[in-house]
Amino acid sequence: MDSGDTSWVLASAALVLLMTPGLALFYGGMVRAKSVLNMMMMSFGSLALVSVLWVLYGYSMTFGTDKSKVIGDPGEYLGLKGLMDPEALSGTIPTMAFVAFQGVFAVITVALISGAIADRAKFGTWMVFVGIWVTLVYFPVAHWVWGGGWIMKDVEAIDFAGGTAVHINAGVAGLALALVLGKRIGFAKEPMRPHNLPLVMIGAGLLWFGWFGFNAGSAVAANATASVAWVNTFVATGAATLGWLLTERFRDGHATSLGAASGVVAGLVAITPACHSVSPVGAIALGALAGVLCALAVGLKYRFGYDDSLDVVGVHLVGGLVGTLAIGLLADPDAPAGASGLLAGGGASLLGKQAIGAFSVLGYSLIVTLIIGLVLEKTIGFRVTTETEVSGIDLDVHAESGYDLTPATSGAFRQQSSKAAAPTGEGAMA
Amino acid sequence: MDSGDTSWVLASAALVLLMTPGLALFYGGMVRAKSVLNMMMMSFGSLALVSVLWVLYGYSMTFGTDKSKVIGDPGEYLGLKGLMDPEALSGTIPTMAFVAFQGVFAVITVALISGAIADRAKFGTWMVFVGIWVTLVYFPVAHWVWGGGWIMKDVEAIDFAGGTAVHINAGVAGLALALVLGKRIGFAKEPMRPHNLPLVMIGAGLLWFGWFGFNAGSAVAANATASVAWVNTFVATGAATLGWLLTERFRDGHATSLGAASGVVAGLVAITPACHSVSPVGAIALGALAGVLCALAVGLKYRFGYDDSLDVVGVHLVGGLVGTLAIGLLADPDAPAGASGLLAGGGASLLGKQAIGAFSVLGYSLIVTLIIGLVLEKTIGFRVTTETEVSGIDLDVHAESGYDLTPATSGAFRQQSSKAAAPTGEGAMA
Amino acid sequence: MDSGDTSWVLASAALVLLMTPGLALFYGGMVRAKSVLNMMMMSFGSLALVSVLWVLYGYSMTFGTDKSKVIGDPGEYLGLKGLMDPEALSGTIPTMAFVAFQGVFAVITVALISGAIADRAKFGTWMVFVGIWVTLVYFPVAHWVWGGGWIMKDVEAIDFAGGTAVHINAGVAGLALALVLGKRIGFAKEPMRPHNLPLVMIGAGLLWFGWFGFNAGSAVAANATASVAWVNTFVATGAATLGWLLTERFRDGHATSLGAASGVVAGLVAITPACHSVSPVGAIALGALAGVLCALAVGLKYRFGYDDSLDVVGVHLVGGLVGTLAIGLLADPDAPAGASGLLAGGGASLLGKQAIGAFSVLGYSLIVTLIIGLVLEKTIGFRVTTETEVSGIDLDVHAESGYDLTPATSGAFRQQSSKAAAPTGEGAMA
Amino acid sequence: MKLVVAVIKPHMVDTVKDALQGAGVHGLTVSEANGFGRQRGHTEVYRGAEYTVDLVPKVRIEVLVEAEEAQAVADTLVQAARTGKIGDGKVWIMPVEEVIRVRTGERGTDAL
Amino acid sequence: MKLVVAVIKPHMVDTVKDALQGAGVHGLTVSEANGFGRQRGHTEVYRGAEYTVDLVPKVRIEVLVEAEEAQAVADTLVQAARTGKIGDGKVWIMPVEEVIRVRTGERGTDAL
Amino acid sequence: MKLVVAVIKPHMVDTVKDALQGAGVHGLTVSEANGFGRQRGHTEVYRGAEYTVDLVPKVRIEVLVEAEEAQAVADTLVQAARTGKIGDGKVWIMPVEEVIRVRTGERGTDAL
Ligand SMILES: Nc1ncnc2c1ncn2[C@@H]1O[C@H](COP(=O)(O)OP(=O)(O)O)[C@@H](O)[C@H]1O
Ligand SMILES: Nc1ncnc2c1ncn2[C@@H]1O[C@H](COP(=O)(O)OP(=O)(O)O)[C@@H](O)[C@H]1O
Ligand SMILES: Nc1ncnc2c1ncn2[C@@H]1O[C@H](COP(=O)(O)OP(=O)(O)O)[C@@H](O)[C@H]1O
């Protein structure tokens, strides 16, 4: 066991954990004031449920002994049994550190999806969806890509930190749910602008920070590979942000702060699979490309009429594809992965592998998510009533509203009738 | 010296430091808009004062050579003397790293108390309280539990990261101050709902993140123990959040975002003492239990009529007790602590030790805090005037208000009379 | 290569990266609601552009082979060429980790300047300024101080983590730009108070957290030096916050939350150059001094009539000078630097070196920044129109407004006319 | 000149605005308000305590009209804002003695 | 019909609301305002500069009442809102020509 | 007694307040509003879609004055608030039957 590597993986796991609350803020700021809490609850709910499922059987399904390159043995590490043994190592670190690091990946992937169905999903149904989706889609896909499954072993596609397993996967699942739930009332008619852009910026900042654990932590060691991943993550993001802002400036006349925040995320998404296979200059190219393409892609929903409310498709699916496929072009043999892309004279074979990996996951996730979504919609219902949606999901579903900032309503009004209610189950605490 | 362990402890210390600003936001969002700044100032003030006292004599009182198992020698490391020596080690890390890590624990413990006295405490008196309390209560208790005192040596209770020394201690001190200061005007009559729930969520997110330093950092090494603590912290929190939300859903009909944020904290509190002595499945049980019990416990203040404004008692005292006592039931011999609880066939002796440790600290802290509080209230006064409380403590005490978001008041009004005031002591800067 | 040191430097680099979004929030909360986004965009824009320039030629200009003690060879590591080699080490860590850590320093230094020109700078011109300034001022100055240039080799001034290279440099550049752009409309007549103090506190919290990477990370190893730097950073900040709050309390009658946040930053700034050369007790003295002096210094702008809007001069220039010069007085031979200041009997020579280093950079940065600023103002224009400034730069420049919190305007109004615009370049995505 | 004032449910503003435009009204002023009336706010159980919130968000609309159009405008408003549920609000008409357009100084009907 | 309007201190709203209910008023509308008058805002010394803030937060209450009750309601309001300190605010009465309840279309007294 | 109401551009409030003080007005009440009129909000292209925002921020000012001063105050207001651009707003005068100062119970002119 190497304490330095363990230190970095534990720190990285904490960084990735922070990404989910960061995402809650990023998404929460983008919706209208009346649904900010519901939006954040979808992320917090994912964190709560997925952490438990991961420990119970998720880790085992993903990293248990491979069965036919399709799934890990779910019984092997049921409830993480045997893994507290100090001798249990994954490479140079305790297996429990690896469990931690991979667990937070599962959480954030599910949470990402929620951006596509802002303002209109029943919270209870969302929670049921989270449990089913992570089991039927995320655990298998992560096994294929990282746990010894067919994409890793047979296709041999490069996905360093999750372009395919996380972003394409979540992005297309978002698309599926957006189709199942349908458009928000007023979609493409009302602007539905972010109600709190500083909140979006806080979220973007925390995502950015956490992503260094996501990408550089994926080296599962504190070494040169992690360092290269760090620098590539840094510079690709900068280039993507510039790309997005210039696209906006050129097309709309203004560089917006939502554009800056989105550009940051687009760059982070795109470099995720590629951060140990391209050079820093390649990362600049990749980032800039992702920034421009994602800035254009977020407009597609108006053209095709699906309400991907917070641009999960435009940023995560498109950005994930850009990053995954660009490896086939830009992979630099001097980078830690040692692979050569088309432009480095490595021929088209790497591009082919990348495409197979990406589109297989895209297809699988799209179909399975559509089925899960439709079944839930037909049985317990997935979308709230029109009245709830118009008057605001926070008040109806969570019995709260995000803000109470005005002097007159904060404390000035004593309530007509109010009584302290005893907790149900009178003697429960006695 | 091990650089990997040092790296993890330094990172953990930074993570724990962040918890205090995180707490400021968590608490700040929960009060009404008119007292958000005062609430945050109590945390920032603790950080400022406790850091200085820790360096001057706190570390020495806590970790100096033990005197009669009651207190460390305060003179030994006065002003941290001698500890800059590169040979000064604590285990495998430089002693200064240990000083850093333990210092931020003292800070957050004091800051936690402030939640019980929201909206109504004089800031100056609070600062005096901070200095006295940390000296008379925190430093001794931390010595008993971790520094070689009687709870560590004679009782041999398990408190990995501070269930007793931090949460029970701060929770019951909050109760004492809530009793001394009395209820807010309108308590149990007005709803006094959080004015800014996204701010609460930001705070909860940062606390969550920082807590991985708090718990996994308490291994004071980057090893298997730290990794187990990490995973247990992760999963207990998820289970507690689920427990709290289900309790709310069942009792009130709605799962709230304040419930989610509180559930997160309840889970973190409860797993704190236990994170290296239970298995991951035990952590799920412990977390779920804490989530349910704390959700019920926050209603107790209405039954018994103490105004623990932001539920320091309901979450930290109750959660700390749940976690500390549950070790006696759930401790798993395979976990790093190697102890066996009742359910693992270890008999009731561990439970007994845990109870003795917990209730001794509870009693000591309650009594001493009551005395400190009463003396301050009778001498310099602890509670603001009714007028200040009604019109808002921020404006009166800090001469500021939290927000100025409306277009008309932000910059539209030029002031009637205004002049640039020269800094007092004209030539001071010259 | 030492994995523990690498782990700490990678974590520190992430911490320092977070400081720039943290600064965006800190600054963003301080302006009026109508310009919060523009304020944040200046930080995000720096991050985007400087990261790319750093990779392209900045690292090479700063840390490439020294040319006449003035500048590093810009061609040597153009595009970081050769540095992905796993054998490329800087001390005990991969050179790429060092590139990462130093890169985020460049970013935050530029971003700091923006506080001086709040509410009134053209975003496009700001971005051009960023590119020119970092190239002509930051890269050379960082080379002088850290990269083998004349301040490091000939003057031998101590600047552990950037009192001179970062804070004096950015502080005086802020002064230069404030002079070039002139005062905001209403300066010293309207209060122009922070529109969102909780946002300021979030920013201060994140800066505080990140600064432990900045200072303790500057040891470029996880060792005793880093640990001492950590503790000094911790305690100096506390002392500075107390100093600032007491100054306010004494002078104005109230301790404000903006004062607490500013005191935190003032302490962090002042201890930055000194954190490995003073003792913890020296750090308390230094912090307290900085807190008091900076609290007085922020009033200077009214006396001298320059509109340093968010106190970049008062906090960063003054705090940087205090910290840099105080080393000459307080340096303790037992501290890792092993240098003796005047009070430790080391004579005035260290103070002299510190002064030469500090004022050389001050002079250079002031003059070059004035020239860059004036050229930009005369050519493409730096200041927005009066109308934009009065009605708010966010709406005019970024076509957004920070908040839309009111129930009636968030979603209640369907737009008169609205159509989904196809992304320009119709077939771009097809 | 008359001033027609309406206090209505926030989510009806859009419909009302469209209806008024259809009825030839070219300008109006909108502001936030809170209403107290038969419609009670929700009863909340929050963290184990129960509260009744009795102020509900409303929007206040003011329309300056010529005297003879006041009734018609009020009727249009009432039609458009109706959902049939408690809390739909009130519309009332008040006398106005003079109206001036700030930009031009025009008075009376020309100022509308 | 009359409209009784009051501009009062924010923390008196609750007392006023209770008093009005006691006096038989069944509905009212509340909104935020800022007042300028004899009561000056506080003088601030902020970061070394001194300012006078002269707008202070107020709440605006509107109550539609039958003509004969207007004086009584205004008096109740004045009693309830009084703290005796500068800045307590104003109450005034304005004529109203017509009131309509949106939900039912009822007019006049029935609409209240 | 009259009530002079003005709906004006937010950034003119200061000028208006100074002008009114110059004209002997000692108090007024200000609140936030949004206006719809000839002045359209900006057309936005946001993330690839285009929208027209047609409500623009305004400020609403109320001044209670003696009947004979109403015209003069309205004129002062109009002068001070004018920028000459569309959207400058409206000023109107309404009858008031009674004014009471809450603090003292004074009525009529004494209450101003
Ligand atoms: N007497 C009144 N004066 C002023 N506003 C009133 C009055 N009565 C009701 N309102 C306003 O009308 C709104 C709707 O009234 P309410 O009694 O709840 O329903 P409805 O008008 O459908 O009977 C209230 O929320 C309040 O804003
Ligand atoms: N002439 C006026 N027109 C409209 N509102 C006024 C007028 N005079 C005062 N007010 C309102 O009444 C409030 C209280 O007035 P002020 O002069 O401060 O105290 P008081 O009424 O106790 O003498 C002001 O803040 C303002 O909102
Ligand atoms: N009929 C009306 N009733 C009430 N307010 C009106 C009316 N017409 C205009 N306003 C208000 O006056 C503002 C300015 O009107 P607008 O038509 O845009 O410009 P102008 O008055 O310069 O012609 C509007 O934003 C609105 O607040």
Side-chain angles (χ1 to χ4, degrees), chain D residues 7-9 33-40 54-59 84-92, chain E residues 2-4 25-30 61-66 99-104 106 110-112:
Chain D
V7 174
I8 62 169
K9 290 188 173 163
N34 281 285
F36 166 74
R38 289 182 208 198
Q39 180 199 18
R40 285 292 131 87
D54 55 11
L55 280 166
V56 281
K58 298 282 168 198
V59 164
K85 302 220 187 91
I86 278 187
D88 272 357
K90 313 281 178 211
V91 172
W92 65 90
Chain E
K2 302 286 168 189
L3 181 71
V4 182
V25 167
H26 296 303
L28 48 81
T29 299
V30 175
I61 296 184
E62 287 168 296
V63 199
L64 288 164
V65 292
E66 288 179 65
V99 179
I100 315 170
R101 182 192 306 280
V102 172
R103 172 165 47 96
T104 56
E106 286 163 292
D110 293 340
L112 294 184

Side-chain angles (χ1 to χ4, degrees), chain C residues 27 53 110 124-125 132 158 173 179 185 199 201 214 217 219 264 373 394:
Chain C
Y27 278 174
L53 301 184
V110 188
T125 308
I132 299 176
I158 295 176
L179 294 174
I185 296 164
L199 194 64
M201 302 297 253
F214 200 90
V264 166
D394 285 359

Side-chain angles (χ1 to χ4, degrees), chain D residues 26-29 62-64 101 103 112, chain F residues 7 34-39 56 58 85-90 92:
Chain D
H26 296 303
L28 47 82
T29 299
E62 288 168 296
V63 198
L64 290 163
R101 184 194 304 280
R103 172 165 50 94
L112 294 185
Chain F
V7 174
N34 281 286
F36 167 73
R38 290 182 207 198
Q39 180 197 19
V56 281
K58 298 282 168 198
K85 303 221 187 93
I86 279 187
D88 273 356
K90 313 281 179 211
W92 66 91

